[in-house]
Amino acid sequence: MSKETLQFQTETKDLLNLMIHSIYTHKEIFLRELISNASDALDKMKYESLTNPEILGENKELTIQIISNKEARSITITDSGIGMTHEDLINNIGTIAKSGTKQFLSDLKAKNSDINAEEFIGQFGVGFYSAFMVADSITLTTRRYDSEIGYIWTSTGDGTFSVEENSKITRGTSITLHLRSTTEEDEFNYDSYLETYELESLVKKYSDYIRYAITMDIQEAVWAKDADGKITGEKPDSYTTITKTLNSQVPLWKKDKSDITQDEYTEFYKSKFHDWEAPLETIHYKVEGNVEYTALLYIPTKAPHDFYSPEFKRGISLYSKNVFIMEKCEELLPDYLKFVKGLVDSSDFSLNISREILQQSRQLKVISKNIEKKVLSTLETTLGENREKYEKFWTSFGVALKHGIYSDFMGALGVKDKVQDLLLFKSLNSDKLTTLSEYIGAMKGEQKFIYYASGESETAIKSLPQMELLKDKGYDVLLLTEKVDEFAIEALREYKEKLFRSITKGDLELSEEEKKQAESLTEINKDLLTTLKEGLGQKVGSVKISNRLKNSPVCLVTDEHGISLEMEKIMAELPSSMPGMKANKILEINPNHPIFTTLQTMHNNKQDLKEYADLLYTQALLIEGFPIENPTEFAQKIANLMVNASK
Ligand code: ADP
């Protein structure tokens, strides 16, 4: 194969442009990213060689080597890891497969805002490209362990890259960065990266825990000494080159908790899990006994960009005796806690365990249960001790907990009991978020239910007519604005023996007295209600006297057991839902509104009454945010009404 020149995918081009022009000051993180890629490649090689040690061939050492070349102004990072095939090269380096990148980049371009490179790298896992922050050209050579042929990839980040076959390349990957030159206006000295002491300190800072030796040749001074071993002379006699291992190689999680600073935990988290923000919580614990393992878990501060997309993969990395076994082991984490990142190291697993056997392993189930408990208890503690921090968590991941309750509708996994005390809600009576237990604590003496209402926004919900009487009584109402909310509430059914009640469903059951009053009014106005119902035909299930309205003439509600108005809207958006999933609508009329008196006086004019019924129904639809069935007809009827009024 001769040399081929290929175009970067558009997103990659945009990304490279951003990297090249980034004024981001932590350019040094490029080293962390490349070392972390090298370490992953070594992990994979180690794993492959477990079953078949021969594949290591002559090159048995799994290491990372850094070379600084001052003359050429280059740094090379070489690993003896798994390497890449031609296909890997094209797919991994040159294309960004992650969904969402395109949108993110075009938003950025539109806003013309400056990029925080680390944030971008963290969100999309595109560490390799960060090298273009410091390099004006990159050469990457690679050969996969089971391939005869290697490849040389080069690019100046200008929109194209070239790939050439080469049969002399040894196993693994080697990346040479030709550093940018420091210009006058640059406040940045790229040459500092050529200094071995600088590279050494960066490795110490970001990559100390990497389990493979990171080595570098450094010049060590040789001093002339006298017979007692004392240095003579003011300058070194000569220099000698020694190969130094720069990192301590102790996996962080193996260290004693008391020997680890929060900074170390955070650095480890950032480099291992590609996040740019410090984690919200760090959980590190060891378990001894029947099942032995160490877990290092993190609750991130922000949700990754694809967290709520179906492509998001949950999981905890699995290690056995410091050796990496698998990334994103799903079995270690229930779905509703999918935001947790981290790793488990257990000597109970054999290194070459197959995925199938692993899935059924009893140990894995025990560990998973423990992780679930630990995470839940950490969240409970945070909620109790640091409300502000917990609310941050809630903003990022609350929806995941609510999805959890809904997905466990039948209660087989007990999610409801596990998370109901961790839920937070906006509510009518407070600017702050409330827990269910706080809601119950603040309930009025005669209040029987936990009331809730759903809608597009807080403001929209607060102005719902169905809210009027509750407001008057000072009852608090949970305000639900996420799509999943109402489904989660339906799945909860009750909290501490208090049932949930939607303000737009069934009877509010405010008081016996009000109920009786509504019943007697219904009796008196039976004919009127029947005529109105006739006017509306199949549009509504019934027309009723309302006991939840104060100022509005009408509102729509649904019966207690069917789907709600909000659910009807959500269902209508779902491609998979069955047609005809409609709420059984009930038109409620406010008996204290002047319109009601007007209607009562019209009872002889059935035709007009039916027209009015339709107008009132359409108004109620509008308030609920439903599209109206025939806007032209509605406008016409209003116009007629105005004309008649002026006669
Ligand atoms: P990420 O590491 O987050 O996946 P990168 O852009 O840094 O994103 O790398 C893209 C992919 O390129 C990696 O997932 C890996 O498959 C491959 N890759 C990068 N560096 C190496 C390396 N040193 N050896 C083998 N494969 C590598």
Side-chain angles (χ1 to χ4, degrees):
M1 186 185 83
S2 57
K3 188 165 168 171
E4 48 175 349
T5 301
L6 298 157
Q7 289 276 335
F8 281 119
Q9 167 209 30
T10 326
E11 282 98 308
T12 318
K13 275 190 210 165
D14 288 348
L15 170 60
L16 284 171
N17 238 321
L18 285 167
M19 288 294 168
I20 293 165
H21 298 111
S22 147
I23 51 162
Y24 185 58
T25 44
H26 289 119
K27 291 178 198 275
E28 63 194 36
I29 57 141
F30 81 90
L31 191 66
R32 171 187 87 187
E33 295 298 318
L34 295 182
I35 290 177
S36 152
N37 281 350
S39 169
D40 290 347
L42 289 165
D43 272 345
K44 289 176 193 155
M45 189 63 209
K46 180 148 191 168
Y47 184 69
E48 291 292 325
S49 70
L50 291 172
T51 39
N52 189 3
E54 280 100 74
I55 59 169
L56 288 172
E58 285 165 24
N59 194 357
K60 297 227 174 339
E61 288 215 36
L62 296 178
T63 57
I64 300 168
Q65 190 189 14
I66 302 178
I67 299 170
S68 151
N69 182 335
K70 283 193 175 167
E71 284 76 52
R73 299 192 66 261
S74 70
I75 315 170
T76 303
I77 294 130
T78 304
D79 67 69
S80 51
I82 194 152
M84 282 180 269
T85 61
H86 183 261
E87 202 187 341
D88 290 339
L89 256 184
I90 307 286
N91 289 342
N92 299 339
I93 313 271
T95 26
I96 310 172
K98 319 261 159 62
S99 64
T101 11
K102 200 171 180 162
Q103 191 56 41
F104 185 91
L105 286 165
S106 62
D107 285 356
L108 257 184
K109 264 210 259 176
K111 276 195 277 177
N112 211 0
S113 62
D114 205 35
I115 183 182
N116 176 338
E118 198 174 355
E119 174 182 354
F120 190 82
I121 294 163
Q123 284 207 12
F124 295 101
V126 287
F128 173 77
Y129 301 98
S130 66
F132 279 105
M133 288 197 290
V134 300
D136 53 20
S137 80
I138 296 181
T139 303
L140 178 154
T141 64
T142 189
R143 181 168 71 75
R144 205 182 132 93
Y145 77 95
D146 52 2
S147 159
E148 294 288 307
I149 304 285
Y151 299 92
I152 305 177
W153 179 102
T154 50
S155 177
T156 51
D158 60 351
T160 62
F161 60 94
S162 68
V163 181
E164 195 177 3
E165 264 183 28
N166 188 300
S167 55
K168 296 208 181 76
I169 295 169
T170 50
R171 184 192 79 226
T173 303
S174 182
I175 299 171
T176 301
L177 315 182
H178 181 265
L179 294 180
R180 298 174 175 281
S181 5
T182 306
T183 56
E184 285 284 314
E185 65 268 22
D186 240 327
E187 281 169 28
F188 201 81
N189 180 11
Y190 296 100
D191 289 17
S192 65
Y193 295 132
L194 294 167
E195 301 298 340
T196 50
Y197 63 81
E198 175 70 13
L199 291 167
E200 185 172 354
S201 96
L202 290 177
V203 169
K204 271 263 160 238
K205 180 169 172 193
Y206 293 115
S207 315
D208 191 57
Y209 69 89
I210 295 276
R211 288 170 302 110
Y212 305 98
I214 305 171
T215 64
M216 183 166 62
D217 282 353
I218 58 168
Q219 299 290 313
E220 213 173 53
V222 182
W223 298 84
K225 290 178 186 163
D226 62 17
D228 299 332
K230 267 178 70 184
I231 290 172
T232 59
E234 297 192 338
K235 276 195 201 158
D237 209 28
S238 61
Y239 285 90
T240 177
T241 307
I242 60 153
T243 303
K244 188 172 176 186
T245 298
L246 310 178
N247 56 331
S248 67
Q249 295 176 64
V250 182
L252 188 76
W253 63 92
K254 286 279 157 171
K255 289 191 188 169
D256 226 38
K257 241 172 125 162
S258 54
D259 294 336
I260 311 175
T261 62
Q262 188 52 50
D263 267 1
E264 284 176 298
Y265 277 129
T266 300
E267 275 314 327
F268 177 76
Y269 168 76
K270 285 186 177 177
S271 63
K272 181 89 191 151
F273 301 107
H274 300 284
D275 197 350
W276 63 286
E277 246 183 278
L280 203 69
E281 294 289 357
T282 303
I283 310 166
H284 183 193
Y285 66 99
K286 282 190 177 62
V287 172
E288 276 156 13
N290 282 346
V291 179
E292 299 202 332
Y293 69 96
T294 299
L296 176 53
L297 310 170
Y298 293 96
I299 299 176
T301 300
K302 290 229 175 88
H305 73 101
D306 58 349
F307 185 68
Y308 289 109
S309 80
E311 289 113 75
F312 182 82
K313 282 191 94 172
R314 71 170 190 269
I316 301 282
S317 303
L318 186 63
Y319 288 77
S320 180
K321 303 182 195 84
N322 295 358
V323 179
F324 168 82
I325 300 189
M326 119 180 17
E327 218 180 9
K328 308 217 177 220
C329 177
E330 287 187 8
E331 290 74 21
L332 281 172
L333 207 59
D335 193 58
Y336 74 99
L337 298 180
K338 63 180 180 178
F339 47 84
V340 176
K341 294 187 175 181
L343 57 89
V344 161
D345 190 344
S346 170
S347 48
D348 289 348
F349 297 110
S350 95
L351 291 177
N352 36 30
I353 190 165
S354 77
R355 190 141 203 152
E356 289 69 36
I357 295 182
L358 187 76
Q359 277 166 349
Q360 289 149 22
S361 112
R362 191 187 63 85
Q363 285 103 315
L364 204 69
K365 292 201 175 82
V366 175
I367 299 177
S368 164
K369 279 263 158 290
N370 268 329
I371 290 183
E372 184 181 11
K373 268 197 208 136
K374 275 275 176 193
V375 174
L376 290 173
S377 72
T378 304
L379 290 174
E380 262 161 46
T381 312
T382 315
L383 173 62
E385 293 174 0
N386 191 339
R387 185 68 172 239
E388 202 183 324
K389 193 174 183 187
Y390 187 80
E391 290 189 5
K392 264 194 200 164
F393 159 78
W394 183 255
T395 311
S396 299
F397 302 112
V399 172
L401 297 190
K402 291 186 277 194
H403 266 293
I405 298 179
Y406 171 59
S407 317
D408 186 31
F409 206 94
M410 304 307 286
L413 306 173
V415 179
K416 170 185 149 107
D417 288 339
K418 291 172 190 160
V419 307
Q420 59 184 2
D421 283 312
L422 292 170
L423 304 176
L424 292 183
F425 295 92
K426 291 176 207 145
S427 81
L428 181 65
N429 289 353
S430 164
D431 297 336
K432 299 202 186 84
L433 294 166
T434 174
T435 62
L436 290 176
S437 142
E438 286 160 355
Y439 179 98
I440 290 207
M443 265 166 73
K444 302 268 170 188
E446 71 287 359
Q447 186 182 339
K448 279 198 252 164
F449 299 99
I450 303 175
Y451 291 104
Y452 68 91
S454 14
E456 280 288 305
S457 67
E458 264 174 82
T459 339
I461 304 175
K462 282 183 180 166
S463 54
L464 284 175
Q466 294 92 331
M467 194 75 106
E468 290 168 356
L469 219 62
L470 288 163
K471 269 190 196 162
D472 219 40
K473 286 184 175 285
Y475 287 7
D476 204 1
V477 178
L478 304 177
L479 310 176
L480 312 183
T481 49
E482 302 280 355
K483 285 194 176 134
V484 62
D485 284 346
E486 214 175 331
F487 293 90
I489 292 276
E490 290 268 322
L492 277 176
R493 286 182 285 275
E494 49 88 34
Y495 175 78
K496 297 203 176 140
E497 293 171 5
K498 297 266 184 263
L499 292 169
F500 288 93
R501 177 68 48 110
S502 161
I503 68 156
T504 63
K505 275 176 106 178
D507 188 348
L508 283 189
E509 291 192 46
L510 291 172
S511 73
E512 275 308 309
E513 194 189 325
E514 275 152 346
K515 203 172 168 183
K516 279 204 188 110
Q517 212 177 352
E519 275 168 7
S520 90
L521 278 169
T522 306
E523 192 49 42
I524 300 167
N525 297 286
K526 219 159 121 194
D527 289 347
L528 173 63
L529 295 174
T530 312
T531 313
L532 293 172
K533 161 70 180 114
E534 277 169 20
L536 292 171
Q538 295 308 307
K539 290 176 185 170
V540 298
S542 59
V543 179
K544 283 187 177 165
I545 296 287
S546 183
N547 67 355
R548 70 189 91 214
L549 296 173
K550 199 166 159 60
N551 303 317
S552 304
V554 286
C555 71
L556 278 178
V557 300
T558 60
D559 60 21
E560 199 179 318
H561 303 291
I563 71 165
S564 73
L565 298 169
E566 270 314 295
M567 282 181 175
E568 180 182 321
K569 279 187 227 160
I570 295 169
M571 301 280 202
E573 285 171 23
L574 296 176
S576 58
S577 69
M578 285 179 285
M581 281 291 263
K582 290 221 183 288
N584 180 18
K585 300 188 183 75
I586 299 163
L587 183 71
E588 285 197 355
I589 304 193
N590 182 354
N592 303 316
H593 196 280
I595 283 194
F596 189 69
T597 324
T598 312
L599 295 174
Q600 279 175 318
T601 56
M602 285 171 63
H603 60 88
N604 288 333
N605 188 346
K606 284 204 171 179
Q607 195 44 42
D608 275 3
L609 255 183
K610 286 179 183 173
E611 291 279 295
Y612 275 37
D614 201 47
L615 280 173
L616 289 169
Y617 168 73
T618 311
Q619 271 186 38
L621 277 183
L622 281 173
I623 294 170
E624 288 297 331
F626 278 98
I628 52 177
E629 285 151 26
N630 191 341
T632 322
E633 192 184 303
F634 179 61
Q636 196 65 51
K637 282 183 183 170
I638 297 263
N640 288 345
L641 203 66
M642 288 165 137
V643 171
N644 290 336
S646 64
K647 274 186 190 157

